Amino acid sequence: NAGVTQTPKFRILKIGQSMTLQCTQDMNHNYMYWYRQDPGMGLKLIYYSVGAGITDKGEVPNGYNVSRSTTEDFPLRLELAAPSQTSVYFCASSYGHPNTGELFFGEGSRLTVL
Amino acid sequence: AQTVTQSQPEMSVQEAETVTLSCTYDTSESDYYLFWYKQPPSRQMILVIRQEAYKQQNATENRFSVNFQKAAKSFSLKISDSQLGDAAMYFCAYRSTFGNEKLTFGTGTRLTIIP
């Protein structure tokens, strides 16, 4: 059971480039999330999805896009990368309510924009 | 909107001693979940302990226990018999039982274990 898998683990981008962070989970979870973690800070929600075909913005969605065509996959797209997007990105998933409340996290993807 | 506050950016404790990490939160809801997550240098977020707000009994997981004070909106984590492997960032988090059920995180406490 792989849980939540993110790729790539590390990436360096130039300003203005685009890329997609991949996230897949094999636990049949309905809910999926993308968070970013800046140095010394907690995690902030970028986008989330409550099921295939449904996505919504979190606290810091600007500069990002997501899609959810299947239950398993929730890719995060960065368009026109900026230095402010240098961060560690975490994908997470969970069951819907009622449930244990726990989110399961991937190992994170460190992105640097130069 | 809910907020989570961790007022201790850094803490240190002698190996085998006990340490308490503080967390307060703000919410108007009566039913919710609270969590402590551990983030070691590997970056992986690991669930340490969870508490359901409707349960009065404090959660316990081996050396980890919480002091949940619902009226005071306080949720502290006690680590007993501290071990070198406990060194990490610890995040307190809140999750509503309604809506999108996202986790709201505090800013974290960096725990150092002194051998």
Side-chain angles (χ1 to χ4, degrees):
Chain A
N1 191 342
V4 178
T5 303
Q6 291 180 232
T7 56
K9 288 187 169 46
F10 301 92
R11 183 73 186 269
I12 298 175
L13 282 180
K14 294 183 179 179
I15 294 172
Q17 286 185 322
S18 300
M19 75 160 296
T20 299
L21 297 175
Q22 302 291 345
C23 176
T24 187
Q25 52 92 8
D26 61 0
M27 296 173 282
N28 202 31
H29 286 167
N30 291 325
Y31 288 61
M32 296 189 74
Y33 308 83
W34 275 105
Y35 284 88
R36 61 177 285 174
Q37 183 182 27
D38 297 326
M41 302 296 290
L43 280 68
K44 293 189 183 296
L45 183 66
I46 305 171
Y47 270 95
Y48 67 95
S49 169
V50 301
I54 306 169
T55 62
D56 209 344
K57 297 178 180 178
E59 301 170 78
V60 289
N62 291 342
Y64 307 95
N65 277 300
V66 294
S67 60
R68 184 94 183 270
S69 57
T70 67
T71 299
E72 295 79 18
D73 300 310
F74 191 43
L76 177 71
R77 178 84 177 159
L78 281 73
E79 304 281 0
L80 299 176
S84 62
Q85 293 178 304
T86 294
S87 190
V88 179
Y89 292 83
F90 288 94
C91 181
S93 70
S94 75
Y95 294 105
H97 180 74
N99 63 89
T100 63
E102 179 182 0
L103 264 63
F104 295 80
F105 285 85
E107 294 182 348
S109 300
R110 182 179 294 277
L111 175 67
T112 302
V113 182
L114 301 175
Chain B
Q2 294 83 20
T3 58
V4 177
T5 302
Q6 293 179 250
S7 59
Q8 305 156 317
E10 296 183 355
M11 293 281 285
S12 61
V13 63
Q14 206 80 30
E15 192 176 2
E17 297 295 311
T18 295
V19 65
T20 298
L21 308 184
S22 301
C23 173
T24 59
Y25 58 95
D26 188 25
T27 184
S28 58
E29 298 173 341
S30 59
D31 194 16
Y32 47 87
Y33 297 100
L34 295 165
F35 304 86
W36 280 98
Y37 277 87
K38 170 184 178 182
Q39 187 181 41
S42 68
R43 294 204 312 251
Q44 180 83 50
M45 296 289 284
I46 302 165
L47 179 67
V48 175
I49 199 164
R50 78 169 64 84
Q51 175 81 41
E52 291 92 340
Y54 65 87
K55 291 186 177 179
Q56 293 185 336
Q57 186 172 5
N58 289 326
T60 299
E61 290 285 344
N62 300 316
R63 297 182 295 107
F64 299 87
S65 61
V66 298
N67 183 4
F68 173 48
Q69 301 289 328
K70 190 173 184 179
K73 298 180 182 175
S74 171
F75 183 61
S76 60
L77 174 69
K78 185 171 83 170
I79 305 174
S80 303
D81 185 26
S82 298
Q83 300 175 0
L84 294 177
D86 294 335
M89 283 289 288
Y90 286 82
F91 291 98
C92 178
Y94 172 102
R95 187 180 188 191
S96 173
T97 58
F98 301 98
N100 63 55
E101 300 179 44
K102 68 181 179 68
L103 276 183
T104 299
F105 287 86
T107 52
T109 297
R110 181 173 301 281
L111 179 64
T112 300
I113 310 297
I114 303 167

